Amino acid sequence: MADESLFDFLHMEIVSHVYKHSSKGEMDNKDRAVCVSVLEGMGFRVGQGLIERLTRDSPSFKDELDIMKFVCKDFWTKVFRRQVDNLRTNHQGTYVLQDNKFCLLTQLSNGKQYLDQAPKYLAFSCGVVRGGLSNLGLDSVVTAEVSTMPSCKFQVVIQKL
Amino acid sequence: MADESLFDFLHMEIVSHVYKHSSKGEMDNKDRAVCVSVLEGMGFRVGQGLIERLTRDSPSFKDELDIMKFVCKDFWTKVFRRQVDNLRTNHQGTYVLQDNKFCLLTQLSNGKQYLDQAPKYLAFSCGVVRGGLSNLGLDSVVTAEVSTMPSCKFQVVIQKL
């Protein structure tokens, strides 16, 4: 219970710290991009570390889809405390992971009021997913989109070499 | 397992972020003090949040010592994953909490080599303890001291009004 809150609280603090210290006064789009990128970078390194621990005793993966399923189940459960509700793919390297009750958004109001604040609270998580995939050998671009809180869609586009 | 690592990894990232962004080039003592204070402040707010959750269903506390015992057992277990090994007090508002295997230090080398790095990794935790106590009505000053890794002594001095 409180162990979970520990991550949530700490995450809130980081977001607010990064946003507070990255600009003096009014933020413009460039400042916002810097903040998102800082949070994404932190997430990336955390994701790399976590996946190493998690896959230590796992057999190797069959293919890309097998990796994505692992991310949606085991990885998601460890990091975000539930499984992804829905995984869709076009079988050409694009995956959409839908979490209907994303843990880092459940603390925010459910209405549309704070929808514009959502990206702040998703940048770290996008990084976590990208970091995890990266250590499993998949380069990717991960973005997140919210239409109704606390539901969230992560889009993963695998970068082919 | 990985849930625990999540906190550890995230904590490492915050420490390195705060230290990287608070100074250009060489750090002097003032820069270091700013970093410690930023981390301590983050910990303070996290501690405040956590203790509220943890004590929601607890009966109220008898006295100061009762609060300290709660911090050493329940609170410590939730945040740092073990109980404090030893609690000493002079019965005049000073408490020494010794954790022989402090979770945020176990990742560092056990020798004396990185002893000077320890304060970085303790500032947040000092804040957590101070924040928790503060929401239980005790103003305090919390400092930490390491003589051999990963053992750590937290000194709590309650501020009487």
Side-chain angles (χ1 to χ4, degrees):
Chain A
M1 182 272 285
D3 336 14
E4 301 171 356
S5 329
L6 181 58
F7 168 60
D8 298 353
F9 285 131
L10 190 48
H11 177 263
M12 287 280 179
E13 283 302 317
I14 299 168
V15 172
S16 96
H17 172 80
V18 167
Y19 273 75
K20 206 163 59 190
H21 287 253
S22 297
S23 94
K24 321 278 168 230
E26 274 298 290
M27 287 199 120
D28 56 24
N29 284 337
K30 205 182 130 213
D31 292 333
R32 269 188 216 101
V34 169
C35 292
V36 164
S37 138
V38 166
L39 289 169
E40 211 267 350
M42 289 176 137
F44 183 79
R45 287 178 297 274
V46 170
Q48 284 188 312
L50 285 175
I51 203 95
E52 279 189 8
R53 299 238 169 167
L54 266 178
T55 53
R56 198 174 42 185
D57 305 316
S58 305
S60 58
F61 297 102
K62 269 206 321 272
D63 53 19
E64 200 178 281
L65 187 61
D66 204 28
I67 293 180
M68 290 308 297
K69 284 181 181 166
F70 177 83
V71 167
C72 291
K73 287 190 181 173
D74 301 62
F75 189 63
W76 216 264
T77 310
K78 286 293 177 191
V79 187
F80 305 121
R81 303 190 307 257
R82 57 198 311 278
Q83 290 188 16
V84 162
D85 293 290
N86 190 274
L87 168 66
R88 282 184 302 151
T89 175
N90 66 354
H91 296 288
Q92 292 179 10
T94 300
Y95 298 84
V96 177
L97 290 68
Q98 181 167 343
D99 185 331
N100 293 331
K101 216 175 148 190
F102 189 61
C103 71
L104 295 174
L105 294 178
T106 48
Q107 305 296 319
L108 304 179
S109 163
N110 273 0
K112 300 230 171 238
Q113 195 182 355
Y114 296 110
L115 219 48
D116 59 328
Q117 299 288 317
K120 274 188 177 184
Y121 297 101
L122 296 170
F124 176 83
S125 308
C126 287
V128 169
V129 176
R130 193 171 66 87
L133 288 173
S134 154
N135 264 21
L136 295 177
L138 296 178
D139 271 337
S140 62
V141 173
V142 181
T143 51
E145 192 192 303
V146 181
S147 50
T148 331
M149 304 247 198
S151 161
C152 183
K153 275 183 193 166
F154 289 86
Q155 190 184 55
V156 177
V157 182
I158 307 293
Q159 308 294 296
K160 308 285 178 192
L161 293 179
Chain B
M1 180 271 285
D3 337 13
E4 302 172 355
S5 330
L6 181 57
F7 168 61
D8 298 354
F9 285 132
L10 189 48
H11 177 263
M12 286 279 180
E13 282 301 318
I14 299 169
V15 172
S16 96
H17 173 79
V18 168
Y19 273 75
K20 205 163 59 189
H21 287 254
S22 297
S23 92
K24 319 279 168 227
E26 274 298 291
M27 287 200 120
D28 56 26
N29 284 338
K30 204 181 132 217
D31 291 333
R32 268 188 216 102
V34 169
C35 291
V36 164
S37 137
V38 166
L39 290 169
E40 211 267 349
M42 290 177 135
F44 183 79
R45 287 179 297 276
V46 170
Q48 284 188 313
L50 286 175
I51 204 94
E52 278 189 9
R53 300 237 168 169
L54 266 178
T55 53
R56 200 172 42 184
D57 306 315
S58 305
S60 60
F61 297 103
K62 270 206 321 271
D63 53 18
E64 199 179 281
L65 187 61
D66 205 27
I67 293 180
M68 291 307 299
K69 283 181 181 165
F70 178 83
V71 167
C72 292
K73 287 191 180 171
D74 301 63
F75 189 65
W76 216 265
T77 309
K78 285 294 176 189
V79 188
F80 305 121
R81 304 192 306 259
R82 56 199 312 279
Q83 290 188 15
V84 162
D85 293 290
N86 190 273
L87 168 65
R88 281 184 302 153
T89 176
N90 65 354
H91 295 287
Q92 292 178 9
T94 300
Y95 298 84
V96 177
L97 290 68
Q98 181 166 344
D99 185 333
N100 293 332
K101 216 174 148 190
F102 189 60
C103 71
L104 295 174
L105 293 177
T106 48
Q107 304 296 319
L108 304 178
S109 163
N110 273 359
K112 300 231 170 239
Q113 195 182 355
Y114 296 109
L115 218 50
D116 59 329
Q117 300 289 317
K120 275 190 177 183
Y121 297 101
L122 296 171
F124 177 83
S125 308
C126 287
V128 168
V129 176
R130 193 170 66 87
L133 288 172
S134 154
N135 264 21
L136 294 177
L138 296 178
D139 271 337
S140 62
V141 172
V142 181
T143 50
E145 192 191 303
V146 180
S147 50
T148 331
M149 303 249 201
S151 160
C152 183
K153 274 183 192 166
F154 289 85
Q155 192 184 53
V156 177
V157 182
I158 307 294
Q159 308 293 298
K160 308 286 177 189
L161 295 178

